[in-house]
Amino acid sequence: MDLIILGISGAVGTGALFSTAGMTADAGPAAVLAWILGGIFYLFIGLTYSEISMNLPEAGGPSRYSLYSHGKLTNLINAMSDLVWYLFIPPIEALAVVEGLTYFFPSLLTPSGTPTLLGGIVGVVLLLLFIPFNYFGVKAFGRSTTSIGSLKLIFYIALALGVMGVFFSARNFVSYGGVTPFGLAGMFTAIPLAMFAFGGIRVIPDYAEETKDRHKLSSAIILTVIGQTLIYVLFAVAFVGGINWTKISLTPGEWSNVTTALPGNPFVDISQANSALLILALIVAIIGPFVTGYIYLGAGTRVLFAMGRTGIVTKLMKQLHSTYSIPVWALVVFGIVGAIITFLTSPIPTIYSLISDAVVAGYLGSL
């Protein structure tokens, strides 16, 4: 259960909120189909990870597998791509939390939706707050992630069901260009944004070396893919059905401008008309990305640790804490670099740009 919660909580964060909106802008209602196809595609990656992680249960293992199969040069490309992918995720999640906090503190964002200097600083502070969750050993990490992650998933499911219950309109699926208003091309264009969200299964093999029963890695990975797919499909149905064209000042069927009309957290924006749902959306907007952020910080630390083992980076990165047995210097370095990236990327126009950049690095690492 710890592994499943780790995988699903690590995956279901900004992707469920922002990727869903971005995919809807690309594909309209076919975003639902894009999530389903994305789940099928990623299941094959999950099967690969489940097989290899049981046979080579190493910390940060996916950044080492290519060393055994293709040698040092390929592994260098693979591991560096993984590192870039992981370095992007915690900053994206920290800035997503800033988006959620903007409802209470409008000065965190500019009128165009980019973080102000204060918003960037808050993002850095949030990134640094991810470090303590990973410092006190994997046992403490597992307990906190299982409890907080379970609560997080309950909030997420409640939000999706709430949006469907309050705002759902079946007309959005059939009346404005049908299910595929941009054709199959739009649906496939949306899938890369889904891949950003599905990447959460990678964190399970990253923790393989610290797992008590390594034979459970396989079932945990497969169940994680299935579980997160169901949640993403639920969010896509809720979002598409919950769009009120009049309230967001769009012509019905103007799918491509959905993200422009909802410049903040999409689910916070569409929940404005219902106070109870808005409170739930704000809780999800703050807690959800925060949990994903600190999970990815820990997993990224193990990627850096694996690179230290291989000799790509200094051996200091594989040094373990004498008490908590975590790669302490890798955690510190990864956290500091992540904080710097958070500050430097905060002026980027939209969080969707950061997601796209991260997906490219993730593809390179997986290949």
Side-chain angles (χ1 to χ4, degrees), residues 304-311 313-321 326-330:
L304 198 54
F305 171 81
M307 293 172 70
R309 267 183 173 170
T310 306
V313 297
T314 174
K315 292 182 179 180
L316 190 64
M317 294 301 102
K318 66 176 184 176
Q319 183 174 321
L320 298 179
H321 192 285
I326 55 106
V328 59
W329 285 111

Side-chain angles (χ1 to χ4, degrees), residues 32-349:
V32 177
L33 302 177
W35 277 119
I36 295 172
L37 284 175
I40 294 171
F41 295 159
Y42 225 89
L43 181 61
F44 290 100
I45 298 175
L47 290 169
T48 303
Y49 279 149
S50 66
E51 181 71 20
I52 301 177
S53 62
M54 286 193 299
N55 288 283
L56 299 169
E58 300 184 29
S63 298
R64 293 260 295 172
Y65 300 155
S66 61
L67 176 68
Y68 306 124
S69 61
H70 291 78
K72 289 187 177 181
L73 180 59
T74 301
N75 181 244
L76 174 64
I77 299 171
N78 163 228
M80 291 301 295
S81 299
D82 286 344
L83 185 63
V84 172
W85 157 262
Y86 273 85
L87 281 171
F88 263 104
I89 307 301
I92 288 173
E93 303 300 335
L95 292 173
V97 176
V98 171
E99 292 264 12
L101 291 172
T102 302
Y103 184 84
F104 304 102
F105 308 102
S107 59
L108 296 179
L109 290 186
T110 65
S112 63
T114 61
T116 60
L117 177 61
L118 178 61
I121 293 172
V122 171
V124 169
V125 172
L126 288 166
L127 194 290
L128 294 175
L129 286 176
F130 295 161
I131 295 177
F133 285 90
N134 292 279
Y135 182 79
F136 298 101
V138 72
K139 189 173 184 178
F141 170 84
R143 287 176 176 174
S144 64
T145 300
T146 300
S147 55
I148 301 174
S150 298
L151 187 63
K152 164 189 167 175
L153 293 176
I154 291 171
F155 281 132
Y156 265 75
I157 294 171
L159 174 62
L161 293 175
V163 169
M164 290 176 65
V166 176
F167 300 115
F168 188 81
S169 172
R171 289 188 63 187
N172 287 345
F173 287 89
V174 294
S175 298
Y176 310 118
V179 176
T180 57
F182 303 106
L184 293 179
M187 181 181 69
F188 282 103
T189 300
I191 289 178
L193 286 173
M195 293 300 98
F196 167 81
F198 278 110
I201 66 164
R202 251 283 312 245
V203 302
I204 297 179
D206 283 326
Y207 283 90
E209 192 168 336
E210 298 158 280
T211 302
K212 286 183 178 179
D213 187 351
R214 293 162 186 171
H215 295 289
K216 293 185 178 180
L217 286 166
S218 179
S219 57
I221 290 172
I222 303 308
L223 289 173
T224 293
V225 176
I226 295 171
Q228 64 183 348
T229 301
L230 293 175
I231 292 175
Y232 293 144
V233 169
L234 178 64
F235 264 79
V237 172
F239 183 77
V240 172
I243 294 175
N244 185 317
W245 299 101
T246 303
K247 289 187 177 179
I248 63 176
S249 303
L250 288 180
T251 303
E254 202 175 344
W255 297 106
S256 60
N257 290 323
V258 165
T259 53
T260 305
L262 301 171
N265 185 299
F267 279 85
V268 172
D269 289 344
I270 66 175
S271 299
Q272 298 276 356
N274 185 286
S275 56
L277 202 56
L278 176 60
I279 293 172
L280 185 58
L282 289 169
I283 292 173
V284 166
I286 294 169
I287 293 180
F290 187 89
V291 174
T292 298
Y294 84 69
I295 288 175
Y296 261 96
L297 189 77
T301 295
R302 282 150 182 82
V303 170
L304 198 54
F305 171 81
M307 293 172 70
R309 267 183 173 170
T310 306
I312 297 174
V313 297
T314 174
K315 292 182 179 180
L316 190 64
M317 294 301 102
K318 66 176 184 176
Q319 183 174 321
L320 298 179
H321 192 285
S322 59
T323 302
Y324 301 117
S325 298
I326 55 106
V328 59
W329 285 111
L331 174 62
V332 171
V333 170
F334 199 86
I336 292 174
V337 174
I340 294 171
I341 291 174
T342 301
F343 188 76
L344 292 178
T345 57
S346 59
I348 290 179

